[in-house]
Amino acid sequence: MTKLTKGSCLCGSITYEVRGKLRSICACHCTQCRKTSGHYVAATKCRSEDLNIVGATIAWYRSSDTAERGFCSTCGSNLFWREFGATFTSIFAGSIDGPTGLNMDRQIHTDAKGDYYDLPDVPIGEQEPVR
Ligand SMILES: [Zn+2]
Ligand SMILES: [Zn+2]
């Protein structure tokens, strides 16, 4: 049976479904993630072909030469990150509805973390694609 995960933005204008495997949660402390989230990002990842986004208020901000960030233009919820040409989409874990069944097991860009918090107690490493 294929795993089904649902999520939404704060105002509910955007909903999404993932029919397939989700990667464990990775925390990212990079400056862009801290700016866009107000803290640091905790994100899972899925195959883009498994992700179905519904809602006219989805907007994509080109945050670098290589990637863009999806958010709700009504309520401002940060939902997605994807690299141009990549087959995977990162999903901000806080937007998932209900229990995720996932755990945070790694963090990246710790050198860019803010000075007001301690790093979570998970290994520092690189992102890995969904297997
Ligand atoms: Zn919204
Ligand atoms: Zn980041």
Side-chain angles (χ1 to χ4, degrees):
M1 198 177 87
T2 306
K3 179 177 164 62
L4 176 66
T5 303
K6 295 183 176 187
S8 57
C9 67
L10 179 59
C11 75
S13 298
I14 297 170
T15 59
Y16 64 84
E17 288 184 352
V18 182
R19 292 182 184 278
K21 190 175 163 74
L22 292 171
R23 188 200 61 191
S24 58
I25 305 290
C26 178
C28 182
H29 304 271
C30 83
T31 303
Q32 287 191 4
C33 283
R34 295 204 297 117
K35 292 278 186 193
T36 198
S37 70
H39 190 29
Y40 63 84
V41 159
T44 180
K45 195 178 238 184
C46 71
R47 288 187 172 84
S48 297
E49 65 187 24
D50 294 340
L51 173 63
N52 184 37
I53 303 169
V54 177
T57 61
I58 185 76
W60 292 91
Y61 172 67
R62 186 184 178 103
S63 53
S64 74
D65 289 342
T66 58
E68 60 187 354
R69 291 167 183 271
F71 64 99
C72 175
S73 61
T74 297
C75 68
S77 294
N78 297 294
L79 301 169
F80 308 112
W81 178 90
R82 65 186 181 194
E83 272 182 294
F84 300 121
T87 56
F88 297 94
T89 300
S90 290
I91 301 172
F92 286 25
S95 67
I96 294 172
D97 294 329
T100 67
L102 302 171
N103 69 305
M104 189 194 295
D105 67 359
R106 126 187 43 135
Q107 57 187 328
I108 57 174
H109 296 302
T110 52
D111 53 333
K113 83 180 252 313
D115 64 358
Y116 61 92
Y117 63 90
D118 294 325
L119 291 173
D121 186 21
V122 293
I124 296 169
E126 293 300 311
Q127 292 197 54
E128 291 172 20
V130 177
R131 280 178 290 270

